[in-house]
């Protein structure tokens, strides 16, 4: 099998980093990307500025590959997603050449000629990766190992608090968006709401708050399921990533200025269509509306369907790689900071198969590009038989300073009674 390539699913930051590591270790990688270009998912949120600085967004072997190709990566500053793609991911894919194949969607990963149940000769069989190409044709590619770096971007969570769409959510689809708005100007003068408490929700709240400040008459309501918004506002000075800290500080100020109305403990149960928008109904009977547009930014989930015929250990709560769950579970972590994870934690019952990058975290919200690059380094070392390098931890992760994970709905730190708060006093 050592003559076969290693197949990487997805040409996002982690898939491309994996290809660069594989090349340095003497493997022949093939990266299969369903989009038309590198960083397809990142491009879709290209208007959002990252809270990580350039040096936290570039992987070392990828940097070496780009340097060899004569490409200079920006040295400082905080890029938007579009610049991460333009100045790093796209040139990296170009440097990898025809090892990166665009318009190739992976539809399944199996062991050649073995369904999931069959033990006999399993580990000796290569992986068979089924793809649909840009012309709709089906192909099967064989691989000695598979690294699934397909991310979670394509599956956004619903507004409904129980994890399924709220009653009426599908029928109200014309009034709901599941992405951070790029241009919200058409919503000036209307009532808009955001549900969610992660960084995407904070981004959206800030964009809409700016709109409300420019256009009086615009009303912005931020709905969080938790009894407190503190976790969403970040760790302030305790956060080692200053841009991430500043997002929370700006959101807090927007609330204090009265540009944003905050409703805590609001768990959306039903969405009713009204003549001039939608009405959101919470589990406890509170109603909000009519609202012209709801931004549901409740996180992402991995699509595990392509792995249904291989043996994978997935955490039942997080949909993450099972071996990572104890490290990243927001229910048991009082603080959002997570330790580095590598080949040992990412190992699957199917030898040679690894889920890496954002997908490895499943629904856990704390994934950082740096975490992924360390995963990739360790996994590729393990594939190369360098167990010492695979076991090493070369990463120091930034502190978040955020206490109370997203699974924390009550009973522990950061809790308060559900409330509707309008903080009107101007505070700079
Ligand atoms: C708004 C936003 C802001 C963020 N800001 C930061 C930040 O400041 N710092 C930070 O470290 N992280 C940040 N992140 C996290 C960020 O998502 C990751 O760091 C990074 O994008 C994850 O990379 P990935 O390669 O794992 O996944 P992705 O970037 O999602 O890439 C996955 C790729 O796989 C492709 N794909 C999916 N399914 C298939 C298939 N079946 N077949 C073939 N190809 C497929 C997709 O098209 C995509 O190109 C942010 C995320 C978001 C959404």
């Amino acid at each position: 099998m050592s003559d076969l390539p290693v197949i990487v699913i997805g040409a996002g930051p982690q898939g491309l980093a994996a290809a660069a590591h594989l090349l340095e270790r003497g493997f022949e990688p093939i990266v299969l990307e369903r989009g038309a270009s590198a960083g397809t998912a990142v491009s879709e949120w290209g208007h959002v500025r990252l809270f990580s600085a350039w040096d936290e967004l570039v992987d070392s072997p990828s940097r070496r590959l780009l340097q060899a190709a004569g490409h200079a990566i920006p040295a400082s500053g905080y890029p938007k997603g579009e610049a991460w793609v333009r100045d790093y991911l796209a040139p990296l894919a170009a440097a990898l050449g025809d090892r990166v194949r665009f318009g190739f969607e992976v539809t399944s990963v199996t062991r050649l000629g073995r369904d999931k149940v069959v033990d006999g000769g399993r580990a000796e069989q290569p992986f068979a990766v089924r793809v649909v190409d840009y012309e709709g044709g089906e192909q099967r590619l064989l691989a000695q190992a598979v690294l699934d770096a397909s991310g979670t971007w394509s599956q956004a969570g619903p507004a409904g608090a129980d994890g399924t769409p709220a009653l009426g959510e599908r029928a109200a689809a014309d009034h709901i968006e599941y992405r951070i708005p790029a241009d919200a100007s058409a919503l000036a003068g209307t009532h808009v709401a955001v549900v969610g408490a992660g960084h995407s929700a904070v981004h959206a709240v800030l964009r809409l708050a700016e709109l409300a400040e420019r256009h009086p008459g615009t009303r912005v309501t931020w709905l969080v399921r938790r009894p407190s918004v503190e976790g969403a506002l970040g760790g302030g000075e305790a956060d080692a990533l200053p841009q991430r800290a500043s997002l929370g500080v700006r959101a807090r100020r927007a609330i204090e200025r009265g540009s944003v109305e905050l409703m805590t403990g609001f768990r959306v149960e039903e969405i009713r269509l009204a003549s001039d928008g939608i009405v959101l109904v919470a589990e406890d009977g509170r109603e909000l509306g009519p609202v012209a547009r709801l931004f549901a930014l409740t996180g992402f989930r991995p699509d595990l369907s392509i792995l249904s015929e291989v043996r994978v250990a997935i955490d039942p709560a997080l949909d993450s790689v099972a071996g990572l769950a104890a490290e990243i579970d927001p229910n048991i972590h009082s603080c959002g900071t997570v330790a580095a994870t590598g080949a040992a934690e990412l190992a699957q019952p199917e030898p040679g198969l690894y889920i890496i990058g954002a997908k490895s975290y499943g629904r856990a919200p704390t994934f950082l590009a740096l975490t992924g690059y360390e995963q990739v380094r360790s996994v590729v070392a393990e594939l190369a038989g360098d167990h010492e390098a695979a076991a090493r931890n070369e990463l120091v992760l930034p502190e978040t300073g955020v206490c109370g994970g997203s699974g924390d709905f009550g009973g522990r730190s950061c809790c308060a009674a559900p409330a509707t708060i309008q903080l009107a006093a101007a505070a700079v």
Side-chain angles (χ1 to χ4, degrees):
M1 278 206 282
S2 58
D3 290 340
L4 292 173
V6 175
I7 287 188
V8 180
I9 308 173
Q14 301 303 325
L16 293 172
H21 281 259
L22 286 162
L23 264 185
E24 278 202 351
R25 289 274 189 179
F27 291 97
E28 197 43 54
I30 294 181
V31 183
L32 301 171
E33 166 57 51
R34 73 170 161 207
S37 52
T40 295
V42 177
S43 296
E44 288 183 22
W45 51 269
H47 55 289
V48 178
R49 190 170 297 286
L50 284 106
F51 51 74
S52 296
W54 266 113
D55 61 349
E56 295 156 342
L57 295 168
V58 175
D59 158 70
S60 300
S62 308
R63 182 187 294 279
R64 288 193 280 276
L65 196 61
L66 284 169
Q67 276 166 349
H71 179 82
I73 304 165
S76 59
Y78 296 86
K80 288 187 177 178
E82 61 201 12
W84 198 17
V85 173
R86 184 191 62 229
D87 297 338
Y88 173 62
L89 299 175
L92 180 55
L96 288 161
D98 58 11
R99 298 180 184 95
V100 187
R101 301 185 187 169
F102 297 109
F104 281 78
E105 174 163 13
V106 173
T107 54
S108 70
V109 179
T110 59
R111 286 281 185 188
L112 185 64
R114 304 282 188 282
D115 70 24
K116 190 152 104 171
V117 179
V118 178
D119 278 340
R122 187 168 192 86
E124 291 73 52
Q125 289 300 103
F127 287 97
V129 177
R130 195 75 69 88
V131 295
V132 175
D133 65 28
Y134 50 90
E135 288 172 328
E138 263 200 305
Q139 296 184 30
R140 188 180 67 186
L141 304 173
L142 300 185
Q144 58 171 295
V146 173
L147 307 185
D148 181 355
S150 59
T152 57
W153 174 252
S154 62
Q155 295 204 145
D162 59 11
T164 58
L167 284 173
E169 185 169 341
R170 289 194 180 94
D174 288 350
H175 298 275
I176 306 175
E177 286 179 36
Y178 297 89
R179 304 285 187 242
I180 301 170
D183 177 10
S185 52
L187 296 168
T190 68
H191 182 188
V192 291
V194 176
V195 61
H199 290 109
S200 294
V202 175
H203 263 292
V205 163
L206 286 173
R207 252 163 220 261
L208 296 168
E210 281 163 17
L211 181 76
E213 282 160 21
R214 281 200 314 272
H215 298 278
T218 309
R219 184 178 163 202
V220 182
T221 308
W222 185 10
L223 306 172
V224 294
R225 298 166 178 174
R226 287 182 248 173
S228 161
V229 78
E230 283 308 310
L233 296 180
E237 286 175 3
D239 193 328
L241 294 174
Q243 284 299 315
R244 188 170 60 186
S246 112
L247 276 180
V249 169
R250 285 162 56 211
R252 192 187 297 279
R253 288 184 184 155
I255 295 168
E256 288 168 350
R257 279 198 300 274
S259 313
V260 174
E261 179 185 350
L262 175 68
M263 293 176 84
T264 59
F266 197 103
R267 298 175 196 173
V268 179
E269 186 178 66
E270 187 179 351
I271 301 179
R272 292 188 198 132
L273 280 169
S275 55
D276 43 0
I278 51 176
V279 175
L280 310 172
V281 185
E283 253 174 36
D284 61 8
R286 279 182 290 169
E287 291 190 7
L288 179 75
V291 165
R293 189 75 51 89
L294 171 66
F295 293 91
L297 298 163
T298 61
F300 298 94
R301 291 119 187 246
D303 175 4
L304 296 166
S305 63
I306 59 173
L307 304 175
S308 63
E309 281 307 320
V310 277
R311 298 174 180 182
V312 285
I314 300 297
D315 181 74
L318 299 180
D319 290 341
S320 69
V321 171
L324 299 191
E327 199 46 62
I328 61 177
D329 188 344
N331 288 291
I332 57 177
H333 269 270
S334 65
C335 286
T337 306
V338 297
T341 51
E345 294 81 14
L346 293 163
Q348 290 293 342
E350 198 77 68
L353 172 71
Y354 290 91
I355 302 170
I356 56 170
K359 187 169 184 173
S360 70
Y361 269 48
R363 300 181 184 209
T366 37
F367 181 79
L368 290 174
L370 273 180
T371 326
Y373 297 151
E374 171 65 4
Q375 289 183 340
V376 165
R377 185 200 63 75
S378 170
V379 163
V380 174
E382 183 67 22
L383 286 177
D386 186 349
H387 306 301
E388 187 274 320
R392 215 164 45 220
N393 172 8
E394 296 190 358
L395 178 68
V396 179
L397 276 170
E399 294 286 329
T400 65
V402 181
C403 287
S406 63
D408 189 358
F409 274 126
R412 292 191 296 279
S413 58
C414 313
C415 293
T420 301
I421 312 169
Q422 175 93 50
L423 294 170
V428 184

